[in-house]
Amino acid sequence: VERLQDLGTAKWYVFNQLSGDSRRCNERGDAIAKFYDGVSGMVTTEERKARNLMPKVKAVDPELPYLQLPQKYAGYAQVPRPGLNMSAKADCAYLLPKHLYPPKPKVGRVSTRTQAVSKMRETWPEGKPTFVDTLGSNFNDTLSLKRFNTEQMTIQTKVDLEAKTARNRQKAEDDGSERLAQLREQRTVTKGRFFATRPPYNPAEIRDKEELRDRKVNPQKWAKADADLLADKQMVDKRRRDRYIMYFVEKEAQQNQLREMQQAASDAAPMVGTGNSMAEQAD
C-alpha cells in the first residue's frame, strides 16, 4: 500500500500495488468520511427554524436593550442614539428608559409682592482686625482653635493686635527653653545602665565606637582596609600631579626653599649663642 499525491489537484490517494485499487484519503492516510444528505454537513438557520432546533435565548428588557456588550466591544462605550417620541403629550422628545427621563418641573405659588425683600447683612466693624489678621498673633503650636477664638474676640483694634502679638512673642521667647521640660522629665536615665556613662550617643560617635571595637576584634581586616585606602590616596595624588605637574613643581620648590630657610635659621641660632658667651668671657 502506497500513499500518493496528485500534484494537479493537490489530493491524496491510497494505492494498492497488488490489486491496483485506489481510494481518496487525507495527507495522513485516513479515509475521508462519506457525506450523507440530510445528516452530514452544516445546518442553515432556516433549516434550524424549520426543525425547531433554534437555541433558546433569554428575553431582554426592551427598556435596556444595550446591557449585553459583545466581546469585541470590551473596553469601549456603546452609546446608541435615542429614538424620537412622536407623541404630542410626551414630557420628553426622546424615547428613553424611565430612569433617564428628566425630572418634571415643579410649579410653586406665584409671588404677589410688588417690592423685592432686601436682607441687610451685619457689617464688620471698621478698624477691627479679621480672623486672618489675628492668625499670626499666637506662637503656641498646641493652642486649640476654641481657645484661640476666645482670645481673638478680645482684639478690637489694630493696637490690641500689636500688643497681643508682642506679649505672646515675649512669652514664647521666655518659655522657649522650657518647652521640652516635661519630655526631659520623662526621659529614661541611662547612666550606669548597660555600661552607659552619659546620655545616648549621636550617630557619628556610635560609628566611631563600633569601628574602634571592630579594629580590636578584626585587626587583619582593618590592616588590609587601611592599606587599600593608603594606596587609593597615593594613586589620587599621582593622578593630580600628572595632570597639574607645573603647579606641584612650583609648590615643591617653595616648600624646599622654606625648608632651607628654616634649616639655616636653626643652624645660625647656636652660633649666635656661642658668640654671646665668647663676648661675655672676653669681658
Side-chain angles (χ1 to χ4, degrees):
V1 178
E2 186 179 2
R3 187 179 52 179
L4 301 176
Q5 182 184 17
D6 186 0
L7 299 179
T9 59
K11 296 180 180 180
W12 290 85
Y13 296 90
V14 175
F15 182 71
N16 192 344
Q17 298 286 354
L18 298 177
S19 62
D21 298 334
S22 64
R23 60 180 175 85
R24 284 282 310 279
C25 67
N26 56 16
E27 58 185 6
R28 293 177 298 180
D30 300 332
I32 298 177
K34 188 176 180 181
F35 182 83
Y36 296 96
D37 188 15
V39 178
S40 304
M42 302 295 293
V43 182
T44 61
T45 305
E46 290 75 10
E47 187 69 21
R48 290 179 182 273
K49 290 181 179 179
R51 298 185 183 185
N52 196 15
L53 297 177
M54 290 294 295
K56 295 182 180 180
V57 181
K58 185 178 179 180
V60 182
D61 188 357
E63 293 183 355
L64 303 174
Y66 291 96
L67 291 180
Q68 296 180 354
L69 187 67
Q71 186 177 5
K72 64 179 180 179
Y73 294 124
Y76 299 91
Q78 187 180 15
V79 184
R81 180 178 297 175
L84 297 177
N85 196 344
M86 303 305 295
S87 177
K89 297 181 180 180
D91 298 332
C92 182
Y94 299 99
L95 290 173
L96 298 175
K98 294 181 180 180
H99 63 279
L100 293 180
Y101 275 100
K104 296 181 180 180
K106 296 181 180 179
V107 181
R109 185 174 61 87
V110 180
S111 177
T112 57
R113 294 179 180 272
T114 57
Q115 296 180 355
V117 179
S118 60
K119 295 183 180 180
M120 299 296 295
R121 294 182 56 185
E122 184 179 356
T123 58
W124 186 261
E126 185 178 357
K128 182 179 179 180
T130 62
F131 176 79
V132 179
D133 297 336
T134 59
L135 286 177
S137 63
N138 204 298
F139 302 91
N140 188 0
D141 298 335
T142 60
L143 184 66
S144 62
L145 183 61
K146 181 178 180 181
R147 183 178 175 185
F148 177 78
N149 290 334
T150 304
E151 296 181 358
Q152 186 262 350
M153 294 302 294
T154 59
I155 301 175
Q156 299 296 330
T157 60
K158 294 184 178 181
V159 178
D160 296 345
L161 177 60
E162 295 177 358
K164 189 73 172 180
T165 306
R167 285 195 299 268
N168 292 338
R169 183 182 292 109
Q170 185 64 34
K171 185 177 180 181
E173 293 177 357
D174 296 342
D175 299 343
S177 59
E178 300 299 331
R179 284 187 176 183
L180 301 178
Q182 298 179 356
L183 296 178
R184 293 194 186 97
E185 294 177 357
Q186 300 175 3
R187 180 183 296 171
T188 303
V189 180
T190 58
K191 185 175 182 179
R193 299 178 60 183
F194 308 106
F195 303 100
T197 58
R198 64 187 186 89
Y201 298 90
N202 56 35
E205 294 175 341
I206 294 176
R207 182 197 59 201
D208 296 341
K209 289 172 67 65
E210 292 178 352
E211 181 179 343
L212 182 61
R213 186 186 305 113
D214 195 21
R215 284 182 178 273
K216 294 181 180 179
V217 175
N218 302 315
Q220 297 179 355
K221 183 189 78 171
W222 283 100
K224 183 178 182 303
D226 294 341
D228 295 342
L229 181 60
L230 180 61
D232 291 342
K233 290 183 178 180
Q234 292 176 355
M235 290 300 297
V236 171
D237 294 340
K238 183 177 181 302
R239 288 196 299 269
R240 292 177 61 190
R241 181 179 177 82
D242 294 342
R243 185 171 183 180
Y244 309 102
I245 185 170
M246 296 302 301
Y247 168 77
F248 284 97
V249 169
E250 295 177 358
K251 183 178 180 181
E252 291 177 358
Q254 294 177 1
Q255 291 178 354
N256 294 334
Q257 185 178 2
L258 181 61
R259 191 180 301 107
E260 292 176 359
M261 293 175 59
Q262 292 178 353
Q263 185 67 25
S266 61
D267 294 342
M271 295 177 61
V272 173
T274 304
N276 293 338
S277 61
M278 293 175 62
E280 291 175 358
Q281 290 178 3
D283 293 340

